[in-house]
Amino acid sequence: MAVVLKIHLEPLPEAMWGAERKAAAFEELYRRCYRPLVDLCRRTLCGRGDAEAIAQEAFERAWTSIDRFTDTRPFWPWVATIAKRLCVDHRRRLERENAHRHIEAESCRHRATPPDETVEVWDDYRSARLALKELRPYEQRIIELRDVQGWSYDEIARLEGVTVEAIRGSLKRARASLRKSFARL
């Protein structure tokens, strides 16, 4: 264990961090840390992602921000933190996608109606519209306002200039007439 920690925590010699040698220094750090970083990603992801791809992305991000890295600090904790954050982001993204898939599957399951049921519903709709047309205009209007458009009893009573009780009674009689008309069809 001490050897592994030494590899991860031992900084490179300062001479390797010159402007012309940064790429070589980074290459050496990559060589030292790549396998342990893949292992870390594998443990963090718990089998829910490509550990090698995330480790590679962590190194890419480290390389793009290498100018902010101070060579007196050990490289391993820095790149390991980048990789852990990428793993957490990846797992969160998967959870969101799975939640969206679950919602979409549920909505598709509820929307899918067999063709024979669709035909029956369409026939019932046509019959109900024909039955509604057989009613008197006042009854049609009250049923349309209450049952189709969702108006309240108060709103209908104000529109018709009558009491709420009168609307309730008229609506009850209109619905009874509609049921009789529907049964005849």
Side-chain angles (χ1 to χ4, degrees):
M1 181 83 171
V3 174
V4 173
L5 286 175
K6 183 179 178 192
I7 290 172
H8 295 317
L9 297 177
E10 178 185 284
L12 293 176
E14 287 184 35
M16 288 189 76
W17 284 105
E20 66 280 346
R21 302 258 318 154
K22 261 194 184 167
F26 190 82
E27 187 176 324
E28 176 62 22
L29 291 169
Y30 179 87
R31 188 187 60 71
R32 287 184 185 184
C33 298
Y34 179 72
R35 292 296 339 146
L37 193 65
V38 170
D39 293 340
L40 174 74
C41 291
R42 204 170 272 129
R43 286 190 309 273
T44 306
L45 291 171
C46 302
R48 293 188 213 142
D50 187 357
E52 290 181 355
I54 291 180
Q56 191 66 36
E57 186 177 347
F59 276 109
E60 288 172 14
R61 289 188 182 196
W63 174 250
T64 58
S65 58
I66 196 71
D67 294 333
R68 289 182 276 168
F69 177 70
T70 57
D71 56 330
T72 58
R73 290 183 12 220
F75 181 74
W76 170 255
W78 184 55
V79 75
T81 300
I82 294 170
K84 284 180 186 177
R85 288 179 179 164
L86 288 171
C87 289
V88 168
D89 290 346
H90 178 76
R91 288 178 67 178
R92 285 180 182 158
R93 191 177 323 111
L94 284 178
E95 288 171 7
R96 278 193 310 272
E97 288 172 2
N98 287 339
H100 290 304
R101 282 191 203 116
H102 176 73
I103 291 169
E104 288 173 7
E106 284 294 314
S107 67
C108 287
R109 191 179 63 155
H110 292 297
R111 273 188 280 154
T113 309
D116 56 334
E117 285 182 30
T118 304
V119 170
E120 286 178 29
V121 168
W122 178 249
D123 285 343
D124 288 345
Y125 173 77
R126 268 194 331 220
S127 297
R129 294 304 286 182
L130 288 172
L132 188 62
K133 285 184 179 180
E134 289 185 1
L135 300 180
R136 294 178 296 182
Y138 175 73
E139 293 173 327
Q140 288 180 17
R141 186 172 57 249
I142 291 175
I143 288 177
E144 178 81 23
L145 291 173
R146 178 68 183 154
D147 295 334
V148 177
Q149 295 182 17
W151 284 33
S152 69
Y153 291 110
D154 291 328
E155 292 171 328
I156 299 170
R158 266 185 260 132
L159 176 73
E160 295 293 328
V162 295
T163 64
V164 172
E165 290 77 23
I167 293 298
R168 287 182 194 270
S170 297
L171 189 59
K172 183 177 179 179
R173 288 187 295 279
R175 286 176 179 160
S177 297
L178 181 64
R179 279 191 293 277
K180 287 179 190 173
S181 179
F182 186 77
R184 278 193 306 265
L185 295 173

